Amino acid sequence: MAVIGVDCGGTNMRAGRFDGDSIDPGPVVERQTPRSGDDLASAIVAMCGGLGSVAAVGVGVAGLVDHRTGDLLWMPHIGGGARLATSLAELTGLAVSVDNDANAAALAEARHGSGAGHRMVLMVTVGTGIGGGLVIDGKVERGRSHLGEIGHIPLDRGGPRCSCGLRGCWEALASGTALDRAAAELAEADPSGATAHLAGPESATGRVLVAAAAGGDRAASQALARVASWFGSGLAVMVSVFDPDVIVIGGGVASAGDSFLGPAREAMAAAVSGSGVRSPTPVVTGRFGDRAGMIGAAMMARDAAGV
Ligand SMILES: [Zn+2]
């Protein structure tokens, strides 16, 4: 029986239909995420209207979710208070699962992606912020409720301001936002350098910084490595706390590949205690890219419906 997997981000949301045991969606539909939580359930139903009859719907949301009730507690730009699973079930009559998007992505990578075959899989998504999900024996581990809010571990309280209001959180130092900041600073400090040149009249972004580094620009490579090194410092904390079998990296920054993950692995190894006597934790990029959340949401829908 088919299910629908929905990935609901702060700006856009999209959905795919997954037949049988498939992890490959058919045509994917997309639309803007509404600005109010009250409109979210009806917007999802409207978006998925053309995907045909299904047994269940799974939704991964970039926000805090009460997994037991499927209530959306908080989401950037939207806030909270939406009884998302209840509203979706009333509108569709289907089995519904609602969870955090990083948990959904982690489930997809652990069961069928880069974490497959490992018992304990930690997924770290690096985009605008940093999020995480932990899967043990094929099941999402939630701690008391919200395990995985790893972006705000404090690494340098004298560091840059974070979206949460504090300073020097992991995501303030090592996310796509940090890469954007490093690129802008480099372009301003060196207007004749490769980063400023590639950016042209636009402000330099992390994507430009990665391209400049790939083109052999030394200053760009160094700036990229500094951000990546902070990312590795946070990974070392993850290893110290969880000691997972594998760490899978997802999110937009993962597409930078080894130019980012290389220095990150080195910084991680240098900061993990006993690194000379323990085998290094594998740090790999995800298999499913930006579709991991949607695929994981579909798996959660199957679990919820027992299909
Ligand atoms: Zn923070």
Side-chain angles (χ1 to χ4, degrees), residues 2-195:
V3 298
I4 286 175
V6 182
D7 186 13
C8 183
T11 309
N12 292 305
M13 54 186 196
R14 54 189 177 159
R17 176 194 164 100
F18 296 77
D19 291 312
D21 294 330
S22 174
I23 51 170
D24 199 10
V28 172
V29 292
E30 186 165 354
R31 63 172 283 171
Q32 267 194 335
T33 305
R35 299 291 87 183
S36 161
D38 293 335
D39 300 331
L40 199 50
S42 56
I44 288 171
V45 171
M47 174 175 70
C48 299
L51 293 178
S53 65
V54 296
V57 181
V59 186
V61 189
L64 278 187
V65 174
D66 183 330
H67 172 255
R68 283 153 298 190
T69 61
D71 289 351
L72 179 58
L73 302 178
W74 181 83
M75 189 177 176
H77 312 298
I78 283 186
R83 299 177 67 226
L84 185 54
T86 307
S87 302
L88 267 177
E90 282 171 6
L91 288 169
T92 62
L94 298 173
V96 174
S97 163
V98 177
D99 207 327
N100 172 264
D101 61 345
N103 282 345
L107 190 67
E109 292 289 353
R111 286 192 185 169
H112 297 289
S114 300
H118 294 281
R119 191 183 81 83
M120 188 179 193
V121 178
L122 178 71
M123 172 117 196
V124 179
T125 54
V126 203
T128 309
I130 294 179
L134 184 67
V135 175
I136 303 174
D137 291 327
K139 289 188 177 141
V140 174
E141 172 59 52
R142 305 172 187 285
R144 193 163 61 121
S145 189
H146 300 304
L147 186 153
E149 295 299 312
I150 57 179
H152 302 283
I153 56 172
L155 291 185
D156 178 15
R157 280 303 184 222
R161 182 77 67 186
C162 181
S163 62
C164 72
L166 298 176
R167 284 187 177 276
C169 299
W170 190 16
E171 74 172 40
L173 293 158
S175 64
T177 309
L179 281 177
D180 287 346
R181 190 188 320 111
E185 286 172 2
L186 180 59
E188 193 181 327
D190 184 11
S192 60
T195 301

Side-chain angles (χ1 to χ4, degrees), residues 185-231:
E185 286 172 2
L186 180 59
E188 193 181 327
D190 184 11
S192 60
T195 301
H197 179 70
L198 283 175
E202 311 289 327
S203 57
T205 61
R207 201 173 291 273
V208 168
L209 187 71
V210 170
D217 184 72
R218 193 175 154 82
S221 294
Q222 287 172 341
L224 182 61
R226 270 196 297 277
V227 177
S229 172
W230 277 117
F231 186 63

